[in-house]
Amino acid sequence: MFNIERWQEIFDTISKNKLRTFLTGLSVASGIFILVILLAIGQGMENGIGQQFEDDAATRISVWTGVTAESYKGLNPGRRIQMDNEDYTRAEQKNIDQLEYKSGVYSVWGQLATYGKESGSYRVEGVKGDYQFLENETIVAGRYINESDLANNEKVAILGNRVYLDLFKGQNAIGEYIEISKIKYKVVGVYTDPGGEREETRIFIPLTTAQRVYAAGNNLRSMVFTLEKQEKFEDALAASEAFSASLESDLKQRHTVSPTDERAININNTLENAKRFYDLIAMIRGFFWGVGICTIIAGVVGVSNIMLIIVKERTKEIGIRKAIGAQPLSIIGMILHESIFVTAIAGFLGLIFSLILLELVGPLIESDYLLNPSVDFGVAITTVIILIIAGALAGFIPARRAANIKPIVALRDE
Amino acid sequence: MIEIKDLNKSYHMGSNSLHVLKGIDFSVKEGEMVSIMGSSGSGKSTFLNILGMLDEADSGSYTLDGKPIKNLNEKVAAKYRNQFLGFIFQSFNLINYKSALDNVAMPLYYQGVKRAERMEKALHYLEKVGLAQWATHLPNELSGGQKQRVAIARALASDPKVLLADEPTGALDTQTSYEVMELIQNINDEGKTILLVTHEDDIAHMTKRIVNLKDGLIIDDSNVTQVRASVAKNKHLQSKQTSNV
Ligand SMILES: Nc1ncnc2c1ncn2[C@@H]1O[C@H](COP(=O)(O)OP(=O)(O)OP(=O)(O)O)[C@@H](O)[C@H]1O
Ligand SMILES: [Mg+2]
């Protein structure tokens, strides 16, 4: 392999057979190029869809109630089910070990908030301190709701960034007082939300305050939990499914709802959604891999074909070389060396070219479903190596045959 | 140099078999120049190819420079070819994408000679055949006679013991044939053993011994007085000029 004389001979042959070299190289390079681009698009779609799910904590489980659909134990359908603090405490007590964040929620829609001359209609949510993490919120000024706010029914408010911009026009808001439905609240924090504007047109106040101000007693509109993180997705999914199921059955039992009723208790488990989404991604990935592997196979077939033709075309030359003293091994070596060299160079050129294209075009793509297309470099290198090996194998068989035919037969081949 | 005893060769095509060489006894001493003649299909090329280890006999013994040539594997055969033999073919068999110089240097590459030395030697042999100024040309830029001279230079490059030529002048006109024969005679004068196949009488008489093949057997083997190709060349040139007048 590192015989300088052999290299000179190879370069000589390659430089004097440019078209042949070019065609071999082109088929390899374009195969790699297409494969890398395909894989990158697959990855980009995965990234894009993945981002759609980044808004809320990935293991979030939320519960809200509705109206019963079935009669049960003598109770009529159409009954409204109302959760309260007791439900929350039970769920909390029962699962205290595996809960990461938790909050009961009492929210009201369309509340008029005013500051000076500015006003707007927003959703007001009474929540606990954990809610910040349940909603993936980032505090950009001040603080979030804390335990003492809850204990003392403090009239404090945390504004969504949109609300803050509407009411305060970028001026300092912390420590200022706003009015929500004629009641004064002290602004103690401003947050942003990865979900964007829609999620930032909310005002958070302490849950206890909300229940009192809106005369809700102990009632809750919903409860939201996340579970402790798990190493494996499968484990996390199993834990959250078990949690959802037990929560549902406990609630149904306490509120006398039929176990088969699907309307009264609603549980949204993001992890289950995520599973559907991961399945989709797996399918997309599988599809692109399928196409990719077909591309590689096509590339391998192409390279093999070219190698066969090259060896056929060189039969006479091989005969001449043998007549003047070339050993069979040196013939095989020459052909393999040349084919490996050409496929390797072409493969890496195709790889580099496709990576450059991704680097240039990738950031320009603005689509919800295609984000930052890129490839795993290891995968790309592996495919190049597969193609090189395929080229070598494809060259080896005819090369060996050519090297083994008697020179007289090869020479007769006109 | 060459010792052949009871050499047999048949070709099999399906159920048919063609007995081409039917027990040939033949020997050549060092420095001889032998021509092999016979009608078309008499087995001349077959015989020469066996001598050149390009093909194998079915039975019989063959000794080349004291070495028995029998059941050689390809590796050893290639080595012997490279060390002992130089080939000149009717159709030249140059590698068409290599320059004249590179073609001549090829046997040296397979002898493991380093590039610089290889090129120097190759150029020396090209000079010897009078083509030094054509060194960088590709075969298709050369005339038939020039191609054959490149092939002769290539055959000489590895300094073989025996030169084997199958109708070296078969593709050339008379004038060029004589020029090539002159070159081959000069090589023989320097002591190299030469075997050549031809079916032209005048070419055969430029060697020192004529062997006649017929129906797979040697029917005649006699020494002849060598006609110098240079003389024949001049005669031919004159006759051509007179006929032109
Ligand atoms: N590979 C082969 N397979 C089958 N038959 C062959 C093969 N090579 C040669 N022959 C046959 O063997 C016989 C001798 O062939 P050979 O080439 O030795 O003849 P030759 O004397 O060189 O003839 P020419 O003067 O036409 O070159 C011919 O009848 C030919 O058809
Ligand atoms: Mg012949």
Side-chain angles (χ1 to χ4, degrees), chain A residues 18-133:
Chain A
K18 291 199 181 70
L19 183 66
R20 183 172 84 196
T21 310
F22 174 75
L23 288 178
T24 318
L26 189 69
S27 85
V28 173
S30 58
I32 293 288
F33 181 82
I34 292 169
L35 181 75
V36 169
I37 296 296
L38 276 176
L39 291 180
I41 290 174
Q43 182 67 50
M45 287 178 74
E46 199 175 318
N47 294 345
I49 298 172
Q51 203 198 29
Q52 312 281 308
F53 278 78
E54 265 175 21
D55 299 359
D56 297 323
T59 58
R60 187 178 136 124
I61 297 157
S62 56
V63 199
W64 68 99
T65 49
V67 173
T68 55
E70 297 175 18
S71 57
Y72 184 62
K73 291 191 175 168
L75 295 168
N76 288 331
R79 199 160 46 90
R80 173 161 293 284
I81 302 301
Q82 180 62 58
M83 286 190 296
D84 57 23
N85 288 351
E86 179 65 18
D87 290 312
Y88 176 78
T89 315
R90 285 182 185 208
E92 185 182 20
Q93 301 285 309
K94 185 173 174 186
N95 301 288
I96 195 81
D97 291 338
Q98 51 169 335
L99 289 177
E100 183 189 28
Y101 298 117
K102 56 212 176 283
S103 174
V105 179
Y106 191 87
S107 51
V108 280
W109 296 81
Q111 296 298 302
L112 188 72
T114 50
Y115 173 73
K117 286 198 209 94
E118 307 297 337
S119 67
S121 172
Y122 305 102
R123 180 171 157 194
V124 175
E125 299 193 31
V127 298
K128 298 195 171 191
D130 280 1
Y131 205 65
Q132 179 190 350
F133 307 108

Side-chain angles (χ1 to χ4, degrees), chain A residues 217-236:
Chain A
N218 282 333
N219 289 355
L220 292 176
R221 286 268 204 259
S222 62
M223 306 192 293
V224 186
F225 306 94
T226 60
L227 301 184
E228 289 291 353
K229 298 247 183 323
Q230 304 256 9
E231 281 287 313
K232 279 193 266 165
F233 181 79
E234 306 304 321
D235 295 345

Side-chain angles (χ1 to χ4, degrees), chain A residues 189-202:
Chain A
V190 176
Y191 72 87
T192 56
D193 189 301
E197 192 126 302
R198 189 174 50 85
E199 302 270 281
E200 288 172 359
T201 56
R202 291 182 294 176

Side-chain angles (χ1 to χ4, degrees), chain A residues 5 16 317 321 324 408, chain B residues 49 82 93 97 110 118:
Chain A
E5 299 287 326
K16 283 168 184 163
E317 180 195 334
R321 283 176 185 267
I324 60 177
I408 186 63
Chain B
N49 288 335
N82 191 251
N93 282 337
Y97 65 82
Y110 287 113
R118 213 157 70 208

Side-chain angles (χ1 to χ4, degrees), chain A residues 57-294:
Chain A
T59 58
R60 187 178 136 124
I61 297 157
S62 56
V63 199
W64 68 99
T65 49
V67 173
T68 55
E70 297 175 18
S71 57
Y72 184 62
K73 291 191 175 168
L75 295 168
N76 288 331
R79 199 160 46 90
R80 173 161 293 284
I81 302 301
Q82 180 62 58
M83 286 190 296
D84 57 23
N85 288 351
E86 179 65 18
D87 290 312
Y88 176 78
T89 315
R90 285 182 185 208
E92 185 182 20
Q93 301 285 309
K94 185 173 174 186
N95 301 288
I96 195 81
D97 291 338
Q98 51 169 335
L99 289 177
E100 183 189 28
Y101 298 117
K102 56 212 176 283
S103 174
V105 179
Y106 191 87
S107 51
V108 280
W109 296 81
Q111 296 298 302
L112 188 72
T114 50
Y115 173 73
K117 286 198 209 94
E118 307 297 337
S119 67
S121 172
Y122 305 102
R123 180 171 157 194
V124 175
E125 299 193 31
V127 298
K128 298 195 171 191
D130 280 1
Y131 205 65
Q132 179 190 350
F133 307 108
L134 291 164
E135 288 276 302
N136 255 2
E137 267 135 22
T138 311
I139 292 296
V140 290
R143 62 172 178 85
Y144 205 73
I145 290 162
N146 62 26
E147 285 303 316
S148 100
D149 294 337
L150 289 160
N152 303 323
N153 303 333
E154 294 288 358
K155 293 201 176 57
V156 293
I158 287 86
L159 308 184
N161 198 41
R162 184 70 252 163
V163 179
Y164 160 72
L165 291 174
D166 286 351
L167 299 183
F168 288 90
K169 308 286 177 206
Q171 302 292 310
N172 172 51
I174 308 300
E176 300 295 317
Y177 286 85
I178 59 169
E179 256 180 34
I180 305 172
S181 305
K182 306 279 182 257
I183 296 163
K184 270 195 186 328
Y185 292 85
K186 184 178 174 185
V187 176
V188 295
V190 176
Y191 72 87
T192 56
D193 189 301
E197 192 126 302
R198 189 174 50 85
E199 302 270 281
E200 288 172 359
T201 56
R202 291 182 294 176
I203 299 170
F204 293 117
I205 60 176
L207 174 61
T208 49
T209 313
Q211 285 172 327
R212 176 169 295 197
V213 166
Y214 295 103
N218 282 333
N219 289 355
L220 292 176
R221 286 268 204 259
S222 62
M223 306 192 293
V224 186
F225 306 94
T226 60
L227 301 184
E228 289 291 353
K229 298 247 183 323
Q230 304 256 9
E231 281 287 313
K232 279 193 266 165
F233 181 79
E234 306 304 321
D235 295 345
L237 184 66
S240 88
E241 276 174 346
F243 176 78
S244 299
S246 94
L247 188 63
E248 186 175 344
S249 78
D250 288 351
L251 285 170
K252 280 180 172 171
Q253 201 168 5
R254 176 154 184 262
H255 295 280
T256 331
V257 175
S258 158
T260 53
D261 196 314
E262 287 186 350
R263 290 251 198 94
I265 311 286
N266 304 286
I267 296 188
N268 184 334
N269 185 336
T270 29
L271 214 53
E272 271 175 18
N273 298 343
K275 181 169 163 19
R276 247 173 274 146
F277 147 72
Y278 280 114
D279 289 348
L280 177 69
I281 282 184
M283 260 178 59
I284 292 172
R285 189 184 281 184
F287 171 74
F288 278 102
W289 268 109
V291 175
I293 285 168
C294 291

Side-chain angles (χ1 to χ4, degrees), chain B residues 15-109:
Chain B
S15 55
N16 295 21
S17 105
L18 182 66
H19 203 171
V20 181
L21 301 177
K22 302 172 179 167
I24 293 202
D25 297 312
F26 179 63
S27 68
V28 178
K29 284 192 276 298
E30 188 162 1
E32 275 199 278
M33 184 172 184
V34 185
S35 58
I36 299 163
M37 295 196 73
S39 55
S40 186
S42 57
K44 305 181 296 289
S45 297
T46 306
F47 184 45
L48 199 75
N49 288 335
I50 291 172
L51 289 178
M53 289 179 265
L54 296 174
D55 205 349
E56 254 182 293
D58 300 331
S59 66
S61 76
Y62 171 20
T63 327
L64 174 64
D65 198 29
K67 295 204 167 48
I69 308 299
K70 183 95 188 162
N71 297 331
L72 298 183
N73 65 30
E74 274 290 346
K75 217 175 134 181
V76 180
K79 201 176 110 194
Y80 282 5
R81 277 199 293 270
N82 191 251
Q83 277 178 1
F84 298 128
L85 303 171
F87 290 94
I88 302 165
F89 303 93
Q90 177 175 0
S91 54
F92 323 125
N93 282 337
L94 299 173
I95 292 176
N96 55 21
Y97 65 82
K98 284 181 177 286
S99 69
L101 188 67
D102 285 338
N103 264 290
V104 175
M106 279 287 267
L108 298 169
Y109 170 72

